[in-house]
Amino acid sequence: MRIDAIELHRVGMPLVRPFETSFGVQTAREVLLIRVRTDAGDGWGECVAGTEPFYSSEYVDGAAHVIEHYLAPTLLRAPDVTAASVARQLGYVAGHRMAKAALEAAVLDAELRAVGRSFGEYFGATAEWVDCGVSVGIAPSIDELLAEVAGYVAEGYKRIKLKVKPGWDLEPVARVRELLGPDGLLQVDANTAYTLADAEHLKRLDPFDLLLIEQPFDEEDIASHAALAQVIETPVCLDESILSAAIAVDAIERGATSIVNIKAGRVGGYLEALRVHDICRELSVPVWCGGMLETGIGRAANVALAALPGFTLPGDTSASGRYFADDLAEPFVLGSGEHAGQLRVPTGPGTGVEVDEAFVAARALSPHRTLR
Ligand SMILES: CSCC[C@@H](NC(=O)CCC(=O)O)C(=O)O
Ligand SMILES: [Mg+2]
């Protein structure tokens, strides 16, 4: 395909409730959306970088800048662009995986819409519905945490994930385990808030039968995660550390992770996410789909990804209403009956969602940029 224009849209979307992690509190999502205009039609992609460079070194202003000054000009100059060629064409720019992923996803959306194929079909999805977990932020009090968790359980979520940090870990976990009962699926995510010196403390989580402890240590400290895995029973799962399929293999072989959280934006795009899935499957390592508070664009793509056979654990792809009162596309709503706690995999062309352009314009934080 030839790309005739690339649009950058900055959209502000308030969260239905504050979302607190070990690195801060979020009350709104400032989303960078990409629309590519090609000779085969349009496609939308979503950049998962946060407003601040706290989850990773990427942040929305930086992503917009690197797209405007490096990545978009490269694709606009190229005589032919396909989703399969984007990573190679942009490879001369170091890092900026979330920015690159947004462009690749927009190109893939345009490419697949042009031939009437869905993301799910293209990825090789084997499920029509996916099990959904939910990520629960650090709460002002234990009672407020329990009320929020009880609400999600009532909605049918298959798994609860609690954000933890030093000073907010053992008691919240104990009380939520009590609320869920012994069979409820429960895991925690530290977002790098601990160090290996906390190993004995983290071992005190073992009696609560957690599915996993996610990214307890610094994203570059593979060795400490391997050391922790020798000390605790709870399986260690990496998120921030896993930037590519190669790093996933290295972390697995070094014993640093026995379960992998896959996020397409973090690894540079859905095509690399497929490679992470495939190699983890070969190594018999379970994977699940992580979340970055996506709008309907990224949420649709994540549901399609989560429908692959290696995604054997409920992911963080929740209903749109978990974060947003209104979304830029038809909201994702949990199923009922036999599909309670599940989301249906979109079957329409591309991501399968239609972006409400009036919504995007009404919530624009600045005039959109059109690059040619
Ligand atoms: C702003 S926190 C984003 C990263 C975080 N994401 C979640 O907790 C899930 C968010 C979601 O449900 O989309 C993680 O470290 O896994
Ligand atoms: Mg995480």
Side-chain angles (χ1 to χ4, degrees):
M1 300 185 303
R2 254 212 55 75
I3 299 183
D4 302 320
I6 295 176
E7 295 173 5
L8 282 71
H9 297 258
R10 303 281 283 270
V11 176
M13 295 175 62
L15 301 184
V16 292
R17 66 178 62 83
F19 184 58
E20 182 173 347
T21 67
S22 62
F23 58 78
V25 185
Q26 248 185 287
T27 57
R29 183 98 172 76
E30 181 184 350
V31 194
L32 171 63
L33 301 176
I34 301 294
R35 172 160 56 183
V36 294
R37 309 279 200 166
T38 83
D39 56 1
D42 295 350
W44 284 95
E46 176 172 349
C47 181
V48 298
T51 306
E52 313 279 357
F54 297 160
Y55 165 82
S56 82
S57 60
E58 293 193 72
Y59 62 108
V60 72
D61 285 342
H65 187 277
V66 75
I67 289 171
E68 181 164 350
H69 294 276
Y70 296 91
L71 305 180
T74 299
L75 297 182
L76 288 164
R77 274 197 304 271
D80 182 41
V81 176
T82 64
S85 72
V86 166
R88 173 177 45 74
Q89 290 167 312
L90 301 182
Y92 76 98
V93 169
H96 294 286
R97 288 178 173 83
M98 294 176 182
K100 293 174 178 176
L103 288 164
E104 182 192 88
V107 170
L108 182 61
D109 190 38
E111 206 172 314
L112 294 180
R113 284 175 189 271
V115 295
R117 293 182 69 195
S118 70
F119 268 44
E121 191 224 321
Y122 178 84
F123 291 161
T126 51
E128 292 183 0
W129 291 80
V130 299
D131 286 348
C132 299
V134 62
S135 180
V136 185
I138 293 166
S141 71
I142 292 286
D143 285 348
E144 286 164 276
L145 175 75
L146 295 174
E148 186 177 349
V149 170
Y152 295 140
V153 170
E155 288 181 59
Y157 283 104
K158 302 265 189 187
R159 179 268 284 145
I160 297 293
K161 159 170 148 177
L162 300 179
K163 292 292 182 180
V164 294
K165 67 178 182 183
W168 180 270
D169 48 26
L170 295 177
E171 189 188 0
V173 166
R175 297 292 302 278
V176 170
R177 170 50 74 203
E178 186 186 355
L179 182 151
L180 295 178
D183 302 327
L185 300 186
L186 176 61
Q187 65 194 54
V188 296
D189 185 358
N191 289 108
T192 75
Y194 297 89
T195 69
L196 190 55
D198 298 309
E200 283 310 311
H201 175 76
L202 294 173
K203 187 164 179 56
R204 294 172 61 195
L205 289 169
D206 282 349
F208 299 109
D209 192 23
L210 300 179
L211 282 172
L212 56 94
I213 176 170
E214 189 179 342
Q215 200 71 47
F217 305 146
D218 182 274
E219 65 273 16
E220 296 182 6
D221 189 355
I222 301 295
S224 290
H225 287 99
L228 178 70
Q230 296 298 312
V231 169
I232 67 173
E233 297 303 315
T234 304
V236 177
C237 169
L238 293 180
D239 170 357
E240 288 91 331
S241 297
I242 309 298
L243 301 179
S244 65
I247 291 175
V249 171
D250 179 53
I252 291 164
E253 290 180 345
R254 292 167 63 184
T257 192
S258 54
I259 300 172
V260 172
N261 166 330
I262 294 182
K263 294 178 180 176
R266 186 193 70 220
V267 300
Y270 284 91
L271 303 192
E272 184 67 10
L274 294 179
R275 287 187 278 270
V276 177
H277 164 269
D278 293 348
I279 193 64
C280 285
R281 200 154 179 241
E282 268 179 53
L283 298 172
S284 303
V285 169
V287 302
W288 54 281
C289 188
M292 295 294 283
L293 288 75
E294 288 91 347
T295 71
I297 298 170
R299 198 162 297 274
N302 286 347
V303 172
L305 184 67
L308 288 173
F311 286 81
T312 52
L313 291 170
D316 278 348
T317 309
S318 313
S320 304
R322 186 273 176 250
Y323 290 106
F324 307 115
D326 304 299
D327 198 354
L328 50 65
E330 193 64 29
F332 281 85
V333 178
L334 292 182
S336 55
E338 65 172 310
H339 295 300
Q342 296 186 313
L343 284 179
R344 188 183 193 114
V345 178
T347 54
T351 57
V353 302
E354 291 312 315
V355 173
D356 178 345
E357 296 192 37
F359 179 100
V360 171
R363 284 168 178 72
L365 296 171
S366 55
H368 72 268
R369 307 269 299 136
T370 300
L371 308 170
R372 297 187 190 285

